[in-house]
Amino acid sequence: MKKDKLETTPHLGLINFALGFAGRAQLAKVNKAAKNCRKATAKTLRSILEYASGTEWGRAHNFSEILKARTDEELFALYQKNQGITDYEDIRPFVERHKNGEENILFPGKPKMYATTSGTTGKPKWIPITNEYYDNVYNKMTKLWLYTFLMHKPRCFSGKAVSIVGKAIEGYAPDGTVFGSVSGVTRRDIPDFIKPIHSAPAEVFEIADYTARYYTIMRISIEQNVSIIITANPSTIVEMQNNVNEFFEDYVTDIEKGTLNKNLKIEPELRAVLEGYFKPNPARAEELRKLKAEHPVILPKHYWPNFQILTTWKCGNTKIYMEKFKESFPEDMLYQEFSYFSSECRSGLVLNGKDDTVLFPHMHYFEFVAKEDLESENPKYLQIYELEKGKEYSVYVTTWSGLYRYPMNDLVKVTGFYKTIPTIQFVQKINGIISMTGEKLSETQFIQAVKTAEEKTKLSVQFFVGFADVQNSLYDFYFEFKDEGITQEQTNLFGQAVDEALKVLNIEYAAKRDSFRVKEPVSFQLEKSSFETYKERCIAAGKGRDGQFKLNLLMQDEERHNMFHSLIKK
């Protein structure tokens, strides 16, 4: 597969034409909102309040009265007065009622689906996705997102796209409403004219075993001319790349014979469907063998020389993974930030081909609290047009899916402006939440996991603390046991029990551990009175006062990490 001898996607002209038409229409709407984001955000808030005013939640929070506001400022003030900040635990009982079939609770009717993600308690969050939100935000934004690829790389759809998504349908709520991955549903529901761009069929994402899933995705994709990779987590790129070199000979054999490795853990019915896609391809197998002979460590730039676009998260903790594949792709490809969004809210898109997300005030209503005001008893909630370049803020969203002044628990930095709309980059999670690669592990979950490990192992801890080791994509656990005779072997078993408990408490952590994006934690035993020693050293160094000394038990902080590492029991 030589450079510039492209195996073009069928219907490439149709794809480019249709995406261009749909994408330009959506870009025009962004540009209209960008002329006056103050006007756009007020219009959006009014529309959401009108939409939900007849619901139980809307009546309880006086949405109809708020809508009587004559000015934008009065509208914002009345909304803040009548609608408090609501995190997921505040709305969980209302979501449960929707799940059991009730309508018109948080929003009109019932949701199209639920997206499941980790919560700060042991229960996962079920994020409702209404038809209005899916049709007016996800569908339209996806068309614009794909059009941005064309804007920067006109030949990007000349090859196939490796798109890593979740399982579209994972199960059903009590009333029969589906729950699963929004990315999986979005991929499933894309227009027929663009479906040929995908390198692998949707059935691949039904494979439960992660090793088998990665293998199958890459066995299919390495056979083809791939020009785009779309995946949120850059850690996935590392795993895919490692997978190729670990199983290279198996790939080549499968491609040559038109088979799928019999040793993979794939359900028989699913295997039968997947094997129907394969045909012997000895020419590609021979080409890959020659590449491997030339390059002992074979990289994407070798087997996909026409590669155009890689899009993953690049901001916050994910930067560390970029170092692991920065030399892996062709130099002229575009590496674009995935954009700032989550299961709760797809906030906007990167339009400049770099790292800055343009917020979409015509699709969501945003509020912000400045970083320096987060600890205030009465923080000032700012409107989108009040943000300043270079400053950091916490984000709160109101959406068409029943989230009202919902804290995203994210710290973002304003990098500039798209006309009047601020552009942002994700900085980090806040409020005791750590996320190296999307696991969103909370301090509360870590504390509960340690308690569970104590019950399971019958060992008692005097003190404990955990740190994210981003460089190695794992967590370091430090335990001071009440029994000073505990061995390192017992410490390791205790750490394993904490790890298993975290998998139960946090579905995102379990997924990242099972897919090897977060490695097995490493456990250390601390010397006696470790917290007291740490506290004394901090106070002596002027890093705290005795009466106000606080310590988070789960952190990403290299300096504190090193201090506790020096207190390991000798």
Side-chain angles (χ1 to χ4, degrees):
M1 190 178 299
K2 296 180 180 179
K3 185 82 169 180
D4 294 325
K5 289 188 178 180
L6 301 177
E7 298 172 10
T8 58
T9 301
H11 313 302
L12 177 61
L14 174 60
I15 290 173
N16 286 3
F17 174 79
L19 274 183
F21 181 80
R24 283 190 293 270
Q26 295 306 316
L27 183 59
K29 293 180 180 180
V30 177
N31 289 332
K32 181 179 179 181
K35 290 180 180 178
N36 188 336
C37 72
R38 177 174 180 161
K39 179 180 178 181
T41 197
K43 181 179 179 181
T44 299
L45 179 57
R46 283 188 181 275
S47 297
I48 293 174
L49 296 180
E50 287 172 356
Y51 166 71
S53 61
T55 64
E56 182 176 314
W57 187 278
R59 293 192 299 271
H61 292 84
N62 304 313
F63 284 4
S64 293
E65 291 301 312
I66 298 170
L67 286 165
K68 293 179 181 178
R70 296 181 178 181
T71 66
D72 295 344
E73 290 78 6
E74 185 182 4
L75 177 72
F76 301 145
L78 285 174
Y79 185 52
Q80 290 185 5
K81 179 181 178 181
N82 287 275
Q83 175 62 72
I85 301 299
T86 54
D87 64 20
Y88 187 79
E89 295 309 315
D90 295 322
I91 66 169
R92 185 186 289 278
F94 301 92
V95 174
E96 291 298 314
R97 290 172 62 186
H98 273 297
K99 286 168 59 181
N100 283 284
E102 291 190 57
E103 300 185 8
N104 306 317
I105 308 301
L106 285 168
F107 40 77
K110 294 167 62 176
K112 174 186 178 73
M113 65 170 293
Y114 296 94
T116 51
T117 185
S118 64
T120 53
T121 66
K123 299 179 181 179
K125 295 187 287 188
W126 287 57
I127 306 299
I129 307 294
T130 61
N131 284 293
E132 285 74 11
Y133 193 85
Y134 186 80
D135 293 340
N136 295 320
V137 177
Y138 272 94
N139 270 349
K140 293 178 179 178
M141 199 179 288
T142 296
K143 292 171 183 173
L144 176 54
W145 191 35
L146 295 175
Y147 175 61
T148 64
F149 296 171
L150 277 178
M151 288 167 54
H152 304 298
K153 286 288 185 178
R155 299 172 64 190
C156 64
F157 295 116
S158 59
K160 297 286 187 173
V162 177
S163 179
I164 309 297
V165 300
K167 191 176 179 180
I169 299 176
E170 296 176 356
Y172 300 86
D175 70 341
T177 303
V178 302
F179 70 88
S181 161
V182 181
S183 63
V185 171
T186 302
R187 183 191 192 279
R188 182 196 67 190
D189 294 348
I190 61 173
D192 288 341
F193 74 83
I194 203 169
K195 287 182 178 178
I197 72 168
H198 290 300
S199 63
E203 288 87 356
V204 168
F205 302 101
E206 301 290 322
I207 300 174
D209 182 82
Y210 277 95
T211 298
R213 189 188 304 175
Y214 279 132
Y215 180 98
T216 306
I217 290 170
M218 289 305 293
R219 176 258 178 268
I220 294 171
S221 301
I222 199 174
E223 185 177 356
Q224 302 177 74
N225 171 40
V226 167
S227 55
I228 301 175
I229 293 179
I230 302 172
T231 180
N233 285 302
S235 58
T236 301
I237 305 298
V238 178
E239 289 301 325
M240 289 166 60
Q241 187 169 287
N242 292 343
N243 194 287
V244 169
N245 283 283
E246 181 178 357
F247 300 107
F248 184 82
E249 290 303 325
D250 295 320
Y251 285 146
V252 174
T253 299
D254 276 341
I255 291 169
E256 185 174 45
K257 297 180 179 180
T259 56
L260 182 60
N261 194 316
K262 295 295 184 182
N263 296 321
L264 298 175
K265 296 179 181 178
I266 301 175
E267 297 78 356
E269 300 83 1
L270 191 54
R271 175 182 284 277
V273 172
L274 291 169
E275 288 179 341
Y277 289 102
F278 303 138
K279 295 180 180 179
N281 190 350
R284 179 57 172 163
E286 181 60 24
E287 191 173 42
L288 288 170
R289 287 193 179 99
K290 288 180 179 178
L291 285 172
K292 183 68 171 177
E294 297 172 10
H295 309 283
V297 177
I298 191 167
L299 301 171
K301 62 184 177 183
H302 301 138
Y303 44 84
W304 294 328
N306 301 300
F307 193 83
Q308 301 282 305
I309 294 177
L310 170 63
T311 179
T312 74
W313 281 322
K314 297 172 63 180
C315 301
N317 290 336
T318 58
K319 292 179 181 178
I320 192 70
Y321 298 100
M322 295 158 57
E323 292 296 314
K324 299 181 180 182
F325 56 78
K326 67 178 182 179
E327 304 296 333
S328 299
F329 291 88
E331 291 183 3
D332 59 351
M333 71 102 178
L334 171 65
Y335 186 14
Q336 179 169 289
E337 161 68 29
F338 197 66
S339 300
Y340 171 65
F341 73 87
S342 67
S343 300
E344 290 87 346
C345 177
R346 188 163 190 176
S347 304
L349 288 175
V350 171
L351 298 179
N352 62 1
K354 297 181 181 178
D355 303 337
D356 306 312
T357 296
V358 178
L359 295 172
F360 282 9
H362 61 303
M363 291 184 171
H364 312 86
Y365 173 66
F366 300 98
E367 295 172 90
F368 305 84
V369 172
K371 179 181 178 180
E372 60 270 19
D373 203 19
L374 285 174
E375 300 301 321
S376 171
E377 291 185 9
N378 297 295
K380 183 178 180 181
Y381 291 91
L382 302 170
Q383 302 302 321
I384 191 171
Y385 56 84
E386 296 180 293
L387 305 190
E388 300 176 33
K389 181 178 180 180
K391 293 191 68 173
E392 295 180 354
Y393 302 89
S394 179
V395 186
Y396 302 78
V397 299
T398 294
T399 76
W400 295 86
S401 281
L403 302 184
Y404 305 105
R405 306 193 72 204
Y406 181 91
M408 296 292 288
N409 286 322
D410 291 333
L411 195 66
V412 300
K413 183 176 182 178
V414 175
T415 56
F417 294 88
Y418 182 82
K419 299 180 181 177
T420 67
I421 300 175
T423 60
I424 63 168
Q425 289 184 15
F426 172 79
V427 177
Q428 66 180 56
K429 299 297 293 184
I430 55 177
N431 295 343
I433 299 175
I434 305 297
S435 192
M436 292 186 291
T437 182
E439 71 275 17
K440 293 177 283 188
L441 192 63
S442 74
E443 182 180 45
T444 303
Q445 291 167 341
F446 180 50
I447 293 170
Q448 181 58 51
V450 172
K451 290 180 179 178
T452 300
E454 286 182 306
E455 294 171 1
K456 181 178 180 180
T457 64
K458 308 304 180 185
L459 300 177
S460 297
V461 292
Q462 186 75 29
F463 170 75
F464 60 92
V465 65
F467 290 92
D469 180 351
V470 182
Q471 183 68 42
N472 295 304
S473 193
L474 55 80
Y475 286 87
D476 286 338
F477 296 155
Y478 295 84
F479 306 110
E480 180 187 331
F481 294 98
K482 291 182 180 179
D483 181 353
E484 295 183 48
I486 297 298
T487 65
Q488 183 58 46
E489 182 179 2
Q490 289 174 298
T491 302
N492 292 340
L493 290 173
F494 189 86
Q496 290 170 13
V498 172
D499 182 41
E500 291 303 317
L502 287 173
K503 290 179 182 179
V504 174
L505 289 167
N506 184 315
I507 59 174
E508 301 283 7
Y509 179 82
K512 304 307 182 292
R513 284 282 290 111
D514 290 344
S515 61
F516 316 112
R517 284 175 281 181
V518 174
K519 306 298 190 297
E520 184 177 356
V522 178
S523 299
F524 302 93
Q525 187 176 170
L526 292 167
E527 63 186 31
K528 185 178 180 181
S529 302
S530 56
F531 174 72
E532 288 74 13
T533 302
Y534 165 79
K535 178 180 175 181
E536 289 173 5
R537 291 178 181 179
C538 287
I539 293 173
K543 297 178 180 178
R545 297 177 181 175
D546 190 20
Q548 301 174 334
F549 195 84
K550 297 179 181 178
L551 177 68
N552 292 329
L553 296 180
L554 185 66
M555 293 177 277
Q556 181 189 330
D557 186 308
E558 187 173 351
E559 182 179 6
R560 287 182 173 84
H561 195 168
N562 289 335
M563 291 177 72
F564 275 103
H565 202 74
S566 70
L567 297 174
I568 294 173
K569 188 175 181 180
K570 303 297 190 289

